[in-house]
Amino acid sequence: MGDNILIVHGGGPTSVINASLYGAVKEAKKYKEIDHIYAARNGTGGLMREELIELEKVPDEKLELLLNTPGSAIGTSRDQIEQAEYDRMIEVLLKKNIKYVLFNGGNGSMDTCGKLYKNCQARGLDIRVMGIPKTHDNDIAITDHSPGYGSIARYMAQSVKEVAADVKGLPIHVVVVEALGRNAGWTTAASALADDGDGVGPDLIYLPERPFDEEKFLDDVKKLLEKKSGIVVVASEGLRDKDGKPIVEPIFQVGRATYFGDVSQHLANLVIKKLGYKARGEKPGLVGRAAAHEQSPVDREEAVLAGKMACEAIMNGESGKMVAFERVSTEPYVMKPFLVDIDKVMMYERTMPDEFINEEGNGVTEAFKEWCKPLIGGELPRMISFN
């Protein structure tokens, strides 16, 4: 009887998480010593319940569908994991003869990945554990960027460009678009790529890396309204004031799982009440992270590569590491993958560096645009206005 491999998804999905699954499964099929390619149904909870999906016999034509499928084809979760849960996971791994475990997720999942690895080491078990990065928040440490980010960056840029074109055609209000991202502003910042030289893009961008000042926000909007009658603002869901308090109280919070309040509507209401100007909030939310129609081809290819490399590395004896990306060049765009010790990415949150945020704290720099542009996988459709 041969050994088995297990793939686990953790946290919020992206539009390319299944591309990493595709890369891992395709690679795993090459190894004759692997009997079963298991996937945990709905994350770590499924593993503990012994709810495993067998993928080794799935035909290639069905696996190909993973490349264009958003969400998680095997299910994911945000389970709270304590020592008892790690003990149970190891019990199932031993029972099912699983020697190789691939965790695909963000920094929370990498924490779980690292702790499972250490638990296996402490018991002297020959169970190898490897991380595959995934997050639309782009907040995993060490790696230049994470699979999932390039696609939501493209979605944000394209969607904000379309909203800006709408506002330009009917310039009668301030529109506030809210972006995902928790404590990191990478997704919010990507909206700046909407303006690719034709002047159709956001007017103001507010990131969680800078304390939000309500009076300054209103002043920024008021000054713009003296020049134009239609304004587009992009704001992060994670905005906080100078005391670190969310500007809108979260609706629900358990650990790192937070349902943020409606920041876009809150800011729109401020404009209406304080400035007496028509305003509205827009909140793409899950629509953005599930937008497979806006997949970045670069993002998809790198997601496949991350899954493939993780499987290849674990089969070659590596363990306790995560696949990461190093940028060799931006123009032309050249990236190379490498392995980083899981200790260096466990629960570390990478936020936007100062050089990517403008001095006013209401926009991004050209340096950020240059860094981000290759990740969205090509130019956005050009637009025209005679207005």
Side-chain angles (χ1 to χ4, degrees):
M1 182 174 68
D3 296 313
N4 301 320
I5 190 168
L6 172 72
I7 304 165
V8 186
H9 282 176
T14 72
S15 69
V16 297
I17 187 173
N18 292 319
S20 290
L21 176 63
Y22 170 87
V25 173
K26 288 284 284 186
E27 180 66 20
K29 281 188 167 188
K30 298 178 182 178
Y31 298 89
K32 297 187 185 303
E33 60 267 41
I34 293 179
D35 275 354
H36 295 290
I37 303 172
Y38 289 127
R41 188 184 301 277
N42 296 323
T44 51
L47 169 57
M48 290 183 281
R49 294 186 298 271
E50 299 184 37
E51 295 177 2
L52 305 181
I53 304 167
E54 294 187 12
L55 298 176
E56 67 273 6
K57 294 181 181 178
V58 176
D60 286 349
E61 61 268 24
K62 286 193 175 181
L63 286 178
E64 295 290 331
L65 298 178
L66 290 172
L67 297 172
N68 301 306
T69 302
S72 171
I74 59 176
T76 182
S77 67
R78 293 192 188 277
D79 299 316
Q80 298 298 307
I81 308 294
E82 303 296 340
Q83 186 57 49
E85 282 72 36
Y86 288 108
D87 293 340
R88 173 57 180 159
M89 282 192 275
I90 290 175
E91 181 183 334
V92 176
L93 295 179
L94 292 173
K95 179 179 179 180
K96 296 293 186 180
N97 200 38
I98 295 170
K99 183 177 180 179
Y100 315 101
V101 183
L102 302 177
F103 268 93
N104 192 184
N107 41 32
S109 297
M110 292 307 105
D111 187 62
T112 302
C113 177
K115 288 176 179 175
L116 179 63
Y117 163 70
K118 291 177 181 179
N119 270 272
C120 290
Q121 272 199 319
R123 294 192 185 192
L125 299 173
D126 186 19
I127 296 177
R128 302 174 197 167
V129 187
M130 184 70 58
I132 305 171
K134 171 279 315 174
T135 174
H136 54 72
D137 294 341
N138 200 44
D139 58 356
I140 300 179
I142 307 300
T143 185
D144 177 78
H145 59 280
S146 298
Y149 176 66
S151 293
I152 202 166
R154 184 175 185 87
Y155 171 85
M156 284 302 300
Q158 180 63 30
S159 297
V160 170
K161 190 175 187 67
E162 291 165 356
V163 168
D166 186 283
V167 172
K168 187 176 178 64
L170 184 60
I172 61 172
H173 47 208
V174 174
V175 176
V176 184
V177 180
E178 183 176 335
L180 297 170
R182 201 162 42 204
N183 301 317
W186 299 98
T187 300
T188 310
S191 64
L193 297 185
D195 184 356
D196 52 9
D198 56 7
V200 181
D203 298 286
L204 298 165
I205 300 174
Y206 295 96
L207 308 166
E209 286 82 359
R210 293 289 182 270
F212 183 79
D213 186 319
E214 181 180 306
E215 293 305 317
K216 185 180 185 304
F217 162 70
L218 291 170
D219 188 56
D220 288 345
V221 173
K222 185 176 179 181
K223 286 178 179 177
L224 277 172
L225 287 174
E226 293 171 358
K227 302 175 184 178
K228 56 193 300 188
S229 54
I231 297 171
V232 176
V233 178
V234 183
S236 168
E237 65 179 2
L239 290 181
R240 297 174 181 269
D241 62 21
K242 59 182 176 58
D243 298 319
K245 181 182 177 182
I247 66 169
V248 179
E249 185 178 354
I251 298 170
F252 175 80
Q253 190 165 13
V254 176
R256 295 178 69 249
T258 302
Y259 285 17
F260 290 91
D262 199 334
V263 169
S264 57
Q265 195 56 57
H266 172 70
L267 297 183
N269 288 341
L270 281 178
V271 171
I272 294 169
K273 294 174 182 178
K274 301 286 187 176
L275 300 182
Y277 201 85
K278 185 178 180 181
R280 62 184 295 156
E282 301 286 346
K283 189 173 182 177
L286 301 190
V287 175
R289 78 181 191 194
H293 67 285
E294 285 292 353
Q295 266 189 354
S296 158
V298 170
D299 194 25
R300 183 174 59 244
E301 290 168 11
E302 291 181 350
V304 172
L305 177 60
K308 178 182 184 298
M309 182 173 174
C311 182
E312 185 177 40
I314 207 170
M315 294 304 299
N316 286 331
E318 297 283 2
S319 188
K321 297 183 179 179
M322 183 195 82
V323 176
F325 295 107
E326 176 187 354
R327 187 173 302 215
V328 178
S329 169
T330 294
E331 184 56 52
Y333 175 65
V334 179
M335 172 281 307
K336 71 175 183 180
F338 68 102
L339 297 179
V340 59
D341 288 342
I342 199 70
D343 276 344
K344 296 181 180 179
V345 296
M346 292 169 64
M347 289 303 293
Y348 292 117
E349 197 168 45
R350 186 178 73 127
T351 55
M352 290 265 292
D354 288 342
E355 61 266 27
F356 283 175
I357 306 171
N358 71 1
E359 290 185 15
E360 287 293 311
N362 59 10
V364 301
T365 62
E366 288 302 316
F368 169 77
K369 292 182 183 179
E370 291 172 7
W371 173 87
C372 188
K373 190 174 181 180
L375 305 181
I376 69 172
E379 299 289 339
L380 300 177
R382 301 291 290 177
M383 296 182 184
I384 190 169
S385 173
F386 303 110
N387 186 18

